């Protein structure tokens, strides 16, 4: 009889210990779940930031390619006192500013555009070149290219400014 009473007390203690272990495992599980959700948010933020960074760089590279294709006269005419604007679209580069619905990726997340403007030109000392008896003054055009990108859904923006130089003939100084 004595053994039977002792085993009944033990069954109640086992239940309490099992409930405590279950409670501790549940708390650890909730903590792990919160940690993984936080890590996922951080990873998404980093990925979004990298995407907008790369979109701004793509806008700069595309603008540079557009400007390199211009002749000396076209370049000076295109940038004389105004900015050349290019919009990156999923199907290519378009001249002008982006509309609010323009996106550069097929998922519709990123908007990117570039602004290029002439920061001036300066004749390099001793840069006169004589060809067939005439002389032209060669200059380096300083062109600033601003790449802007935005991921509207996360309210993330990136702005990058790069300067490039292009060699050309000073306007009004013709080679004879």
């Amino acid at each position: 009889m004595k053994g039977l009473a002792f085993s009944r007390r033990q069954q109640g203690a086992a239940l309490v210990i099992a409930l405590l272990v279950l409670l501790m495992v549940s708390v650890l599980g909730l903590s792990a779940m919160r940690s993984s959700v936080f890590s996922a948010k951080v990873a998404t933020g980093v990925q979004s930031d990298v995407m907008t960074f790369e979109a701004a760089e793509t806008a700069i590279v595309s603008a540079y390619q557009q400007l390199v294709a211009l002749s000396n006269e076209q370049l000076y005419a295109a940038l004389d006192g105004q900015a050349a604007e290019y919009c990156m679209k999923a199907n290519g580069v378009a001249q002008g500013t982006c509309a609010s619905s323009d996106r550069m990726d097929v998922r519709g997340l990123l908007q990117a555009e570039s602004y290029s403007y002439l920061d001036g030109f300066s004749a390099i000392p001793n840069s006169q070149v004589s060809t067939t008896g005439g002389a032209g003054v060669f200059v380096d055009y300083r062109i600033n290219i601003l790449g802007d990108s935005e991921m509207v859904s996360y309210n993330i923006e990136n702005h990058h400014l790069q300067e490039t130089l292009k060699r050309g003939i000073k306007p009004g100084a013709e080679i004879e």
Side-chain angles (χ1 to χ4, degrees):
M1 264 307 203
K2 214 175 193 183
L4 187 60
F6 181 71
S7 71
R8 285 185 183 162
R9 276 188 261 144
Q10 289 296 319
Q11 288 177 357
L15 180 62
V16 171
I17 291 174
L19 286 174
L20 287 174
V21 169
L22 184 62
L23 180 66
M24 288 185 345
V25 169
S26 297
V27 168
L28 287 173
L30 286 173
S31 175
M33 187 174 70
R34 281 184 108 176
S35 176
S36 67
V37 167
F38 178 74
S39 295
K41 286 181 180 180
V42 168
T44 301
V46 168
Q47 180 185 17
S48 300
D49 189 50
V50 168
M51 288 172 65
T52 55
F53 174 84
E54 292 299 329
E57 289 295 311
T58 300
I60 289 173
V61 169
S62 296
Y64 180 77
Q65 290 171 345
Q66 297 291 326
L67 295 174
V68 165
L70 299 176
S71 70
N72 184 51
E73 294 81 20
Q74 292 170 328
L75 176 69
Y76 192 73
L79 298 178
D80 186 22
Q82 59 187 3
E85 299 176 11
Y86 297 100
C87 179
M88 308 306 119
K89 296 185 178 185
N91 58 356
V93 179
Q95 191 163 9
T97 59
C98 291
S100 61
S101 61
D102 288 336
R103 299 290 185 260
M104 75 175 287
D105 61 325
V106 292
R107 294 182 292 172
L109 295 173
L110 295 166
Q111 184 177 48
E113 54 193 339
S114 66
Y115 307 93
S116 306
Y117 57 92
L118 189 63
D119 192 26
F121 56 90
S122 59
I124 297 173
N126 304 320
S127 64
Q128 292 222 352
V129 177
S130 178
T131 53
T132 64
V137 178
F138 282 81
V139 296
D140 282 333
Y141 290 98
R142 285 191 320 266
I143 303 167
N144 288 328
I145 303 173
L146 176 65
D148 284 338
S149 66
E150 181 179 11
M151 185 179 287
V152 178
S153 56
Y154 287 101
N155 198 24
I156 297 175
E157 294 180 1
N158 255 296
H159 311 282
H160 296 254
L161 180 65
Q162 291 199 6
E163 181 182 82
T164 185
L165 299 175
K166 184 173 181 182
R167 170 78 31 118
I169 301 172
K170 185 176 182 180
E174 298 181 20
I175 298 177
E176 297 174 5

